[in-house]
Amino acid sequence: MKKFSILVTILISIMTFSQQQGKLRKVAAVGFLNVENLWDTIRSADYIDGTKDLTNPAFHRSIPFDSIKFLESEKYDGIWSDHALIGKKVVKYQNGSEDFTPKSAKNYNSNIYRTKLFNEAKVISEMGAQYTKTAPAVVGLIEVENRQVIEDLIKEPALRKYDYGIIHYNSYDYRGIDVALIYQKRRFIPVNSLKKELKIFGDSGKREYTRDILVVTGFLDDEKVAFFMNHWPSRRGGEEVSLAKRNAAAALLKQQMDSIRATDPTTKLFAMGDFNDDPVSSSLKNYLKAQPSPKDLSETTPYLNLMYPLYKKGVASLAYQDAPNLFDQIIVSKNLLSDQVTKEYSVYKAEIFAPPYLVNKEGNYKGYPFRSWNGDQFTGGYSDHFPAFVILQKEP
């Protein structure tokens, strides 16, 4: 295999909007990472108790496979959707649940799980710390199995002292993976959260189940903000063949962002995650209409892709078969931009986080992210994606 070196240096700065000289003022980091299949070691299934209210976490929860026999359920062959399951009690089996157990080919045991938790906690605790001297205020997570793995993650020594809260909903994703948000309780106060199901269909017209878009509104250091966590449909089957699915995800995301912005234009919006497309792809460019430069922003195109300049420099957050991509992106509303430091948060800079320990040093994958898995072999690595973060600043 031809060696490929991702053009990324440690903590590359991709954009600085402030003309401020000297040190930063009050700062906050917001970021995310793909934790590459953070599963516990217990085979699980989803249990949907449609007799409970949709807002009740027990409406859709992950349960150990062995406990299914103790729960009331009916046979179900219909559409997997919250509203379709109201009044029903059913079990949804996860396609990937057997892959991450001690009996699987991966021999996924407690030691590996503990290493995964330690590794991901280390990355989270260090994202943006060279600017903030602390862990991020808000962190998005991609590829988590269930709430339990997130609870285990925030209890890791590297994160425990920051007292992170959790926002998570189970999705109907065919593999059983979700997106989530963790936040320092002293910095961010959530007001409302919901999941938006992305309804996509294959060539046969059959529904395909993927991750939801997580929408969270609240107050970050007393400022009204909204976060949108994304893990868009993959390029499985080819980029062009699968593009319509990501276009649909982009349209749904834009609808959600526009809705919050219309309700309260002062709310500051952050859309982030693994979009499985580059900043110049149709989904982000034509459907979300994420702009490449502040000069392109207007009332009808109010969203800026902070990763576009980095993409133009040839930097990537992952690579597949020696092809670099910048799928991991952060997009913000134009009210987060300012030429000077004010009493409200604005973007100082956005970066791809790639310290040496996250980068493969040798072999065919030199320069690639130091991933956790090489087939069924656990490498001791971190993720197949580099994480991303944005630094916010304001007057104290």
Side-chain angles (χ1 to χ4, degrees):
M1 177 184 295
K2 181 180 70 173
K3 294 181 181 179
F4 171 77
S5 179
I6 295 178
L7 299 175
V8 62
T9 57
I10 302 171
L11 300 169
I12 296 177
S13 172
I14 68 169
M15 195 171 285
T16 301
F17 297 101
S18 173
Q19 302 301 315
Q20 170 201 13
Q21 301 296 318
K23 294 183 180 180
L24 292 175
R25 310 293 179 85
K26 183 176 179 64
V27 292
V30 171
F32 72 93
L33 74 159
N34 186 320
V35 292
E36 193 188 358
N37 295 313
L38 184 57
W39 295 64
D40 57 32
T41 62
I42 302 170
R43 187 182 178 192
S44 302
D46 284 359
Y47 183 67
I48 297 92
D49 184 351
T51 66
K52 299 186 182 300
D53 188 85
L54 279 171
T55 61
N56 188 330
F59 180 93
H60 183 176
R61 67 185 192 270
S62 178
I63 60 171
F65 198 83
D66 291 344
S67 66
I68 293 173
K69 59 180 176 287
F70 300 110
L71 296 170
E72 178 186 352
S73 65
E74 61 185 87
K75 181 177 174 59
Y76 183 72
D77 296 318
I79 295 173
W80 295 101
S81 176
D82 283 355
H83 286 91
L85 292 168
I86 291 175
K88 302 180 183 296
K89 294 183 178 182
V90 300
V91 174
K92 185 178 187 297
Y93 297 94
Q94 301 171 349
N95 288 359
S97 65
E98 291 183 273
D99 294 337
F100 293 90
T101 64
K103 294 181 180 179
S104 71
K106 286 180 168 58
N107 186 31
Y108 191 72
N109 54 38
S110 296
N111 288 335
I112 294 177
Y113 180 51
R114 284 194 293 268
T115 300
K116 279 286 293 179
L117 292 171
F118 176 88
N119 285 355
E120 309 309 332
K122 173 180 172 65
V123 177
I124 291 170
S125 69
E126 296 179 2
M127 287 168 56
Q130 77 275 25
Y131 303 109
T132 65
K133 309 303 180 185
T134 186
V138 177
V139 184
L141 302 174
I142 298 169
E143 291 194 9
V144 293
E145 180 193 10
N146 52 37
R147 186 182 180 91
Q148 184 60 56
V149 300
I150 309 170
E151 291 179 351
D152 291 344
L153 176 64
I154 63 175
K155 291 175 184 174
E156 283 291 300
L159 297 180
R160 187 185 303 127
K161 64 183 177 181
Y162 298 110
D163 190 25
Y164 277 104
I166 298 171
I167 300 174
H168 165 263
Y169 295 91
N170 284 296
S171 73
Y172 296 102
D173 176 68
Y174 73 101
R175 285 187 57 219
I177 55 174
D178 311 317
V179 297
L181 206 72
I182 60 174
Y183 58 93
Q184 291 192 38
K185 295 175 185 176
R186 67 182 181 86
R187 306 282 308 268
F188 178 67
I189 300 173
V191 173
N192 188 48
S193 66
L194 56 90
K195 65 173 186 176
K196 294 301 295 186
E197 294 179 24
L198 174 59
K199 298 177 181 178
I200 55 174
F201 302 86
D203 293 337
S204 65
K206 186 176 181 180
R207 172 86 181 269
E208 294 184 2
Y209 295 95
T210 188
R211 282 73 56 180
D212 303 320
I213 295 178
L214 176 62
V215 182
V216 180
T217 57
F219 291 88
L220 175 62
D221 294 334
D222 298 321
E223 293 190 33
K224 198 168 186 179
V225 295
F227 299 103
F228 306 81
M229 269 308 300
N230 299 263
H231 186 188
W232 288 3
S234 74
R235 293 186 171 188
R236 186 175 47 152
E239 178 184 353
E240 291 302 320
V241 171
S242 59
L243 180 58
K245 301 171 186 177
R246 292 185 298 282
N247 288 344
L252 177 62
L253 173 59
K254 186 175 187 301
Q255 184 270 325
Q256 291 298 302
M257 295 176 75
D258 287 350
S259 175
I260 288 178
R261 188 167 175 269
T263 302
D264 185 351
T266 67
T267 304
K268 296 177 177 179
L269 312 184
F270 300 80
M272 54 189 182
D274 176 2
F275 295 94
N276 271 305
D277 267 338
D278 290 310
V280 295
S281 298
S282 172
S283 57
L284 289 150
K285 183 179 178 181
N286 300 325
Y287 285 78
L288 183 59
K289 300 186 184 301
Q291 300 302 304
S293 170
K295 66 181 177 60
D296 300 311
L297 298 175
S298 69
E299 283 304 306
T300 56
T301 56
Y303 308 128
L304 179 71
N305 193 329
L306 298 180
M307 298 306 175
Y308 182 86
L310 188 54
Y311 174 79
K312 295 300 288 185
K313 291 179 181 179
V315 178
S317 59
L318 76 159
Y320 177 69
Q321 295 182 347
D322 291 338
N325 292 106
L326 185 51
F327 289 170
D328 301 272
Q329 300 164 56
I330 300 175
I331 296 157
V332 299
S333 53
K334 68 186 183 72
N335 58 353
L336 272 157
L337 307 183
S338 176
D339 289 333
Q340 54 188 324
V341 181
T342 69
K343 294 186 180 297
E344 293 188 356
Y345 273 134
S346 61
V347 171
Y348 173 67
K349 60 172 58 177
E351 298 184 355
I352 292 293
F353 186 55
Y357 68 84
L358 287 183
V359 185
N360 262 307
K361 307 292 189 302
E362 57 189 11
N364 289 335
Y365 300 103
K366 183 178 180 179
Y368 282 49
F370 183 23
R371 63 186 303 159
S372 298
W373 295 97
N374 181 10
D376 287 330
Q377 180 182 2
F378 182 63
T379 67
Y382 297 80
S383 176
D384 52 352
H385 291 243
F386 293 130
F389 65 83
V390 59
I391 299 296
L392 308 173
Q393 65 174 352
K394 67 177 176 179
E395 290 181 1

